[in-house]
Amino acid sequence: MSVSIQDAKVPTFANFVIGGISGVAAQIATHPMDVLRIRMQVSRNTLRDTALQTFGTNGVRGFYMGLSAGLLRQLTYTTSRLGIYSTLLDIGEQHFGYLNYVTMISLGMIAGIMGSFIGSPTDLILIRMVADMNLPTEKRKNYKNVVNGISDIWKTEGFTGLWRGAVPTMGRAAIVNGAQLGTYTRAKVMLQNTGYIQNGIPLQFAAALMSSIITCFASIPMDVAKTRIQNWRQSTKPPNIIAMIVNIVKTEGLISLWNGFVPSYSRAAPNTIITMIPSRTVVYVACLTRPAVKPL
């Protein structure tokens, strides 16, 4: 009963279960910010105009468009990335002891790439369901839910069509997870070293806020380009990620690469908090119930 959180370990499968459950909770809480982020990135409107347009067109329901795709994305992408990261971190600490910042970021990037490939189809459908609101009625896909979206893409674009934009999605995930997971872990260590915050929810909360700033700043340019590629509606093949970024800079200016920063951070900060804190809570319970086992 006296064993600390640092001395506890949960089974490997629990890392994946925790990731999925916490990801779903985070998505439900922050989905409106996801909707605003996507709509801003495809319409180039301000946050205020996007929010008013969303509410004016669909009411409160408009802020939860694509929720089924968002939830399935969490059950695939977040379950995988957090489970893989926690497992890799545990293995690394068991064999090498304390891991440096670069290693933590690298493990986060590996986990993000693997998880995003698995969750790429649901991410594609989420983008299209939300972006539909910006299009004229006759051009909309009108997916009823994520299953309908998967079925329609498979029929009209082929099985591989489900992975349209997978490369930029994986690139974004590498940046997001490297920054989020690696910086979150590093921020906790830094905060503990100050002596002001040692453990518990305040530590996790502060670390989540710090890591979210870095995550958003580093990942949004890739996210904007990825969203444009996944929502590509022209008959020609969409450009690759580099070409899309260059085109955005040329036609809209460099600052436009950070379009949607406010809703992105408003989503990322609580998302990180909701995602990370439950996993540590489970570890704490493991400490009380399994004092002999070694940590996460």
Side-chain angles (χ1 to χ4, degrees), residues 23 37 89 115 120 125 136 147 203 212 215 218 225:
R37 171 186 65 83
L89 188 65
S120 188
I125 294 164
V147 175
L203 173 65
S212 295
T215 299

Side-chain angles (χ1 to χ4, degrees), residues 143-173:
Y143 298 148
K144 296 178 181 178
N145 50 55
V146 65
V147 175
N148 177 242
I150 291 173
S151 175
D152 182 76
I153 293 174
W154 195 332
K155 289 178 181 177
T156 59
E157 302 174 44
F159 180 71
T160 56
L162 290 167
W163 273 268
R164 169 180 280 192
V167 172
T169 298
M170 292 163 70
R172 173 191 174 274

Side-chain angles (χ1 to χ4, degrees), residues 220-236:
I220 286 182
M222 184 77 75
D223 192 40
V224 171
K226 175 191 75 71
T227 299
R228 300 278 182 92
I229 290 173
Q230 290 178 314
N231 193 51
W232 190 261
R233 303 297 176 100
Q234 300 179 31
S235 57
T236 57

